[in-house]
Amino acid sequence: MKNPIKKPIGNLVFTSRAGVLLAVLCSGSLPSFATNAAELGDSEAEFDDSYLLEDDIPVVLTATRLKQPRAEVPASVTVISADDIQAWGVRTLPELMRFVPGMFIGHGDDENNASVIYHASTPNIMRRLQVLVDGRSVFRASIASVTWDDIPVALEDIARIEVTRGPSAATYGANSFLGVINIISKHPDETLGVRVRYRNGSEGYDDSFVSYSGVHEQTSYRISAQINADNGYDGRENNGRDDWRDGRRHGFVSAHVSQPLSNHSHLDWQASYKKGHTDIRKDSFDTSFPDLESEQGHLWGKWSTEFSEHHASHLQAYWQIESRDQQAGACVPTISLDPALFEIYQSSPYLSRLLGQLAPSLLAGDDPAARAQANGLLGEIATQQANSESVEQQLEAILFERELENGDSSADRARKLARVQAAVEVSQADLNLASDALQRAFNGTGFSQAAEVVCGHSDRGGQEQRFDIEWQDTIQWAPGLRTVSGISFRRDQVHSQTLFNGTVRNDTYRFFANAEWRALDWLVINAGGMYEIEDNNDDAFSPRIAANFLLAPQHSIRAVYSQAVRSPDLVEQNPDYRVTIENLSPNYLGLDSGVLFVNQADMERDLKHEEITSIELGYYGATTDWQWDFKVYRDSLTRLISNPIALSTTVLTSDSEMEIDGAELQLRWQASQRDWLRLAAAYVNPVYDSGNTDGLTDRDVSSLERIELRASARDSVVASWHHQGNRWSFTGSHFWYDRYGDSIGITDRRYRRYEINLRKEFQFAGTTPWVGVFWHHIVDQDPLVYSNQRYENDDLYYVQLGLNF
């Protein structure tokens, strides 16, 4: 809206249409103009009313599924607009999340995938945040994590991203544990014409994008295609040799069609096809890189209808499928494929590791004394001369040696020995199975065959798919009371010989409701919850209640109490996780294919939901030029599943806990018509309790603590300044993260960097060519989270060229 007529209301100033809307919202009634979007909420009426998007009255819909002025939202929310995305000039969705208070970016080496962490969580698997794209959940069906490279949305097609910072299971169900990232794409009408962009720079950046939008009769449509590629981190200590195997190349084609069916109903649908290559590092037994070749597709449809000015509904359904092809050569000791070791591993993993890993390495080594010692121990087990107590003592000695560190006191040594003794257990039945395996490895004079290595081929691919259908109904019952409610059904199905030895599925039924009641002119109460029924997990109910005290139309104090759950995913709850090696070379067992002894075979763990109880006190305020949000909070997380989800994870429990308290601030200052300043700051203070550690060594316990806390910075500040010139713009950003991992004793570790984005537009023959330069300077020598997550060069850059017509 250009040159708006402004009217004063109280001590504040609003645009004329925004002032009418504000008066309406305060009075609880709506005039006949517009389509009652503010009344009904959610995407029943999309963001097509320009006055609703006026910066003077910011409106969000993610927190409750109702469109609400920011001062009345029962949560802390960060909104990233299309203009913000263009100003910052970043390449990927995770990089945008750096501008959200309390969010940190990690990287999972196993999957070579960025992870977004809010407050504290594992940096390897992002499983406690819900990510939605136009209402479609994009976390994986097998492992409740988000693979950011697989989301088929170009940054140029995003209208806004709403980040609800806090538990939101009451609105979006399990996995909305710490918050929700809601990506809302632009309507095709907003992108009419052709847009082309190419990007190239250091670290192998090589990205391209093209999009065409048009209108046929009353139907508008958009087709977009994108390819992104980079070489990942290179590692400073590698002297520039990029052999970290974390490069990526992904591309997709997507379509969005919007069609009115009548004056009161609308149909939108989307489809996409995506293909990508992700470098994956070798496991201990791999002889070639198990790189991931992936294909994804989805179909999404949404029918919205307005029954009256006080009643609207939508029916939404989507289907998405993913195929993962991951193959590699593998070489292992033949004895590690012996079925007896596979069985031993379940009850005595340390004994199976002695036979399948340690003994073969000693027998194949150059130390005659070590070979003689190994032959002697294996001979005692094979001839059943060794009893369980003596084998336990020898295993304990090996593990105890690994646990010792320089400077350990006698008390430290005693404690570590006690933990090791609690972790090692060998039964006579296990020794009998071990005897059988070793007798098969006996060659008549010794156990040299136990050192024999066999090679073959492993296939760790699979297919995942999800079907989801949801009905949502929004009603205004009275001037001060409106509700949104609905039901949904979702089926997650996975076929994987590696993860599940076949096909598994999980059905989820959901019932949700939220009510907004304007109890007084200055008091808005929101109450809601979701009840979920799952095949593989217990039923769960997640409630939230909040009160917003309006000091002025755009100034409020909010108090929020919420509870949420995270459902254990299929791999956590019911894995049948094994690696099969096929087409084996000749071996003394005579096997054509075999299963590695390290496994999680046919488990039913009966894990409980992770739970969080959150208390938040916040203040939101806005004036003509300023907008700010401040909150203090305390989160109590219980029944956490902190163990890494890996092939070698023998014990997985839901008994660890974490208390997090802190404060967050986000601020935006419109200094002039051409300048704005944006600030995000957070203080995060997590305290972790690893729960029952019986059977775990000190190394295991330390690993649990580091997994949950190492990606969190206690203090963080992100500041951006933007200047809009005449067809050019400049944006500078500074990132400051201090005291990483402070809660677990990792001190004096910080991460700082600067970013600058320059953009210049031109006019030529009815088109708009543009050029951009992005520069990224790393200040500190410390890596991001893990030691290999660093660059040889402190300065990274890329150049962008674009054309709109």
Side-chain angles (χ1 to χ4, degrees):
M1 184 166 54
K2 298 180 179 179
N3 302 318
I5 301 173
K6 297 191 175 183
K7 297 182 179 180
I9 299 180
N11 295 322
L12 303 176
V13 178
F14 305 95
T15 63
S16 57
R17 285 197 292 178
V20 173
L21 175 62
L22 180 60
V24 165
L25 290 169
C26 292
S27 68
S29 60
L30 285 172
S32 58
F33 68 83
T35 58
N36 298 292
E39 189 176 275
L40 293 170
D42 193 60
S43 50
E44 264 54 292
E46 299 291 346
F47 283 110
D48 51 6
D49 298 298
S50 60
Y51 67 89
L52 286 177
L53 288 179
E54 248 342 283
D55 289 338
D56 290 336
I57 297 188
V59 176
V60 297
L61 62 84
T62 301
T64 63
R65 298 181 183 240
L66 291 168
K67 281 185 179 177
Q68 296 173 304
R70 288 285 297 275
E72 301 178 17
V73 174
S76 49
V77 178
T78 298
V79 177
I80 298 173
S81 68
D83 290 340
D84 294 331
I85 296 172
Q86 178 175 297
W88 288 322
V90 300
R91 297 179 59 241
T92 67
L93 283 165
E95 289 294 327
L96 287 174
M97 296 302 107
R98 292 187 186 278
F99 297 91
V100 179
M103 280 197 170
F104 310 106
I105 310 302
H107 191 85
D109 289 343
D110 293 342
E111 291 283 330
N112 188 13
N113 178 44
S115 57
V116 177
I117 298 153
Y118 186 55
H119 291 164
S121 191
T122 169
N124 294 317
I125 299 178
M126 183 189 140
R127 52 184 175 175
R128 293 178 182 146
L129 283 172
Q130 179 69 271
V131 179
L132 304 170
V133 178
D134 294 322
R136 178 175 68 94
S137 177
V138 295
F139 74 81
R140 289 176 54 192
S142 60
I143 301 177
S145 66
V146 175
T147 305
W148 291 95
D149 289 331
D150 292 340
I151 299 178
V153 177
L155 297 184
E156 288 86 351
D157 286 341
I158 296 175
R160 58 201 267 127
I161 301 174
E162 294 183 3
V163 182
T164 303
R165 307 184 335 263
S168 298
T171 308
Y172 295 101
N175 290 87
S176 309
F177 188 73
L178 293 173
V180 174
I181 300 171
N182 187 15
I183 301 167
I184 303 168
S185 62
K186 294 177 181 176
H187 192 277
D189 287 345
E190 300 178 74
T191 56
L192 295 178
V194 177
R195 295 169 296 153
V196 180
R197 184 259 301 146
Y198 177 70
R199 178 190 298 129
N200 192 274
S202 60
E203 307 307 320
Y205 298 140
D206 189 13
D207 310 333
S208 56
F209 165 80
V210 61
S211 178
Y212 173 72
S213 301
V215 178
H216 177 68
E217 296 180 348
Q218 292 184 304
T219 300
S220 56
Y221 57 90
R222 176 175 64 240
I223 299 175
S224 296
Q226 174 178 283
I227 296 176
N228 272 15
D230 64 72
N231 295 335
Y233 299 99
D234 54 26
R236 184 181 302 277
E237 63 268 30
N238 264 17
N239 297 318
R241 297 193 309 274
D242 186 5
D243 57 3
W244 286 113
R245 296 294 300 173
D246 58 359
R248 299 173 296 272
R249 184 175 181 85
H250 293 261
F252 68 82
V253 177
S254 65
H256 185 169
V257 178
S258 182
Q259 179 181 12
L261 301 179
S262 69
N263 291 334
H264 303 287
S265 64
H266 200 91
L267 177 65
D268 285 88
W269 67 268
Q270 298 176 8
S272 71
Y273 171 76
K274 184 200 159 292
K275 190 170 184 178
H277 172 94
T278 304
D279 290 347
I280 304 293
R281 297 173 198 168
K282 294 178 183 178
D283 210 327
S284 58
F285 50 81
D286 289 324
T287 59
S288 61
F289 294 107
D291 292 346
L292 175 63
E293 305 290 339
S294 60
E295 291 184 82
Q296 292 86 18
H298 92 277
L299 293 172
W300 172 92
K302 183 176 182 179
W303 172 66
S304 305
T305 186
E306 190 175 319
F307 299 108
S308 71
E309 64 179 6
H310 301 297
H311 185 196
S313 296
H314 79 225
L315 178 66
Q316 172 182 279
Y318 65 87
W319 171 73
Q320 58 193 39
I321 187 169
E322 174 184 15
S323 177
R324 299 166 67 86
D325 184 15
Q326 191 174 7
Q327 304 185 38
C331 289
V332 297
T334 301
I335 194 173
S336 68
L337 302 179
D338 193 300
L341 267 66
F342 187 89
E343 188 174 346
I344 294 170
Y345 185 80
Q346 298 298 316
S347 56
S348 184
Y350 292 111
L351 175 61
S352 63
R353 289 182 183 279
L354 170 68
L355 302 177
Q357 293 176 331
L358 181 59
S361 66
L362 293 175
L363 292 171
D366 297 328
D367 186 347
R371 287 200 304 271
Q373 183 182 18
N375 266 301
L377 175 58
L378 297 181
E380 290 180 6
I381 297 175
T383 58
Q384 298 187 350
Q385 296 178 19
N387 57 39
S388 58
E389 183 178 352
S390 65
V391 174
E392 281 182 1
Q393 290 175 350
Q394 294 184 66
L395 285 174
E396 288 164 4
I398 295 171
L399 290 175
F400 182 53
E401 188 66 28
R402 292 180 62 217
E403 290 288 315
L404 291 178
E405 298 176 358
N406 291 333
D408 278 349
S409 65
S410 57
D412 291 333
R413 294 172 65 89
R415 176 175 51 82
K416 291 182 177 182
L417 179 60
R419 281 197 181 277
V420 167
Q421 289 172 339
V424 177
E425 184 175 346
V426 177
S427 69
Q428 189 59 48
D430 291 332
L431 284 179
N432 294 339
L433 289 169
S435 174
D436 293 341
L438 288 172
Q439 288 177 22
R440 286 188 283 271
F442 187 67
N443 64 3
T445 59
F447 297 96
S448 60
Q449 287 189 141
E452 177 187 274
V453 173
V454 63
C455 295
H457 172 265
S458 70
D459 184 350
R460 283 162 263 174
Q463 186 183 86
E464 306 182 12
Q465 57 181 315
R466 170 178 296 138
F467 172 75
D468 189 294
I469 184 168
E470 174 187 276
W471 173 263
Q472 178 177 301
D473 195 52
T474 309
I475 302 176
Q476 176 138 357
W477 301 93
L481 177 64
R482 56 180 178 156
T483 63
V484 57
S485 59
I487 60 174
S488 70
F489 167 77
R490 187 180 75 210
R491 169 166 291 178
D492 291 325
Q493 181 169 299
V494 183
H495 176 80
S496 172
Q497 293 300 129
T498 299
L499 296 178
F500 303 107
N501 198 27
T503 300
V504 296
R505 75 183 189 192
N506 182 47
D507 291 345
T508 304
Y509 302 86
R510 292 174 171 169
F511 308 88
F512 62 88
N514 187 83
E516 180 196 79
W517 176 38
R518 187 175 296 275
L520 299 167
D521 289 342
W522 51 269
L523 176 61
V524 178
I525 295 176
N526 280 271
M530 178 172 288
Y531 189 79
E532 297 177 276
I533 302 171
E534 288 188 68
D535 287 349
N536 292 329
N537 295 296
D538 296 336
D539 298 353
F541 176 65
S542 302
R544 175 177 58 200
I545 186 166
N548 288 57
F549 304 90
L550 299 176
L551 309 178
Q554 292 197 77
H555 294 259
S556 68
I557 295 174
R558 66 180 178 274
V560 186
Y561 174 87
S562 60
Q563 293 181 338
V565 299
R566 185 188 76 84
S567 298
D569 59 43
L570 292 170
V571 172
E572 290 170 318
Q573 192 70 283
N574 298 310
D576 200 340
Y577 194 175
R578 61 187 74 196
V579 171
T580 301
I581 303 176
E582 301 175 327
N583 302 321
L584 293 173
S585 55
N587 57 86
Y588 74 83
L589 290 173
L591 296 174
D592 293 323
S593 67
V595 179
L596 191 66
F597 76 92
V598 180
N599 69 88
Q600 299 172 26
D602 198 17
M603 289 185 172
E604 293 184 8
R605 293 193 172 110
D606 193 29
L607 298 170
K608 304 302 180 183
H609 287 91
E610 294 186 333
E611 295 182 344
I612 182 173
T613 298
S614 177
I615 300 173
E616 173 185 327
L617 184 65
Y619 174 57
Y620 172 82
T623 65
T624 305
D625 300 324
W626 291 85
Q627 186 181 134
W628 64 90
D629 187 283
F630 174 77
K631 80 167 185 178
V632 293
Y633 63 90
R634 166 157 288 185
D635 295 340
S636 297
L637 291 73
T638 58
R639 303 201 303 200
L640 297 180
I641 304 170
S642 297
N643 310 70
I645 309 302
L647 181 64
S648 59
T649 304
T650 56
V651 178
L652 200 64
T653 60
S654 53
D655 63 352
S656 57
E657 299 180 352
M658 186 155 41
E659 293 283 335
I660 308 175
D661 56 62
E664 292 175 5
L665 169 69
Q666 63 181 21
L667 179 146
R668 183 184 176 100
W669 174 37
Q670 191 70 41
S672 69
Q673 290 185 340
R674 294 180 176 271
D675 298 271
W676 56 253
L677 173 70
R678 183 164 179 150
L679 179 72
Y683 167 77
V684 181
N685 181 35
V687 177
Y688 177 77
D689 181 355
S690 53
N692 183 6
T693 57
D694 291 347
L696 299 180
T697 66
D698 273 20
R699 190 182 297 268
D700 296 331
V701 174
S702 175
S703 176
L704 291 179
E705 294 177 348
R706 289 172 179 269
I707 282 174
E708 292 286 8
L709 301 177
R710 73 179 305 147
S712 299
R714 178 163 293 190
D715 308 307
S716 61
V717 178
V718 177
S720 293
W721 172 62
H722 173 78
H723 176 75
Q724 182 64 54
N726 184 18
R727 295 195 177 279
W728 66 274
S729 64
F730 168 91
T731 307
S733 301
H734 174 58
F735 302 85
W736 181 82
Y737 303 97
D738 197 17
R739 299 176 74 181
Y740 262 104
D742 183 74
S743 300
I744 52 175
I746 303 176
T747 57
D748 299 326
R749 202 174 132 233
R750 67 172 51 168
Y751 181 83
R752 292 177 299 167
R753 80 185 200 196
Y754 300 97
E755 290 180 358
I756 289 177
N757 185 49
L758 287 166
R759 180 183 170 107
K760 171 63 178 175
E761 294 184 353
F762 306 89
Q763 286 291 320
F764 178 74
T767 66
T768 306
W770 61 271
V771 60
V773 177
F774 180 92
W775 172 65
H776 161 165
H777 175 70
I778 302 169
V779 178
D780 295 297
Q781 304 302 311
D782 292 327
L784 180 59
V785 176
Y786 293 110
S787 60
N788 54 3
Q789 293 172 7
R790 63 176 80 203
Y791 296 101
E792 175 70 17
N793 299 310
D794 292 335
D795 296 289
L796 310 179
Y797 67 90
Y798 47 80
V799 177
Q800 303 185 87
L801 302 173
L803 178 64
N804 301 334
F805 61 93

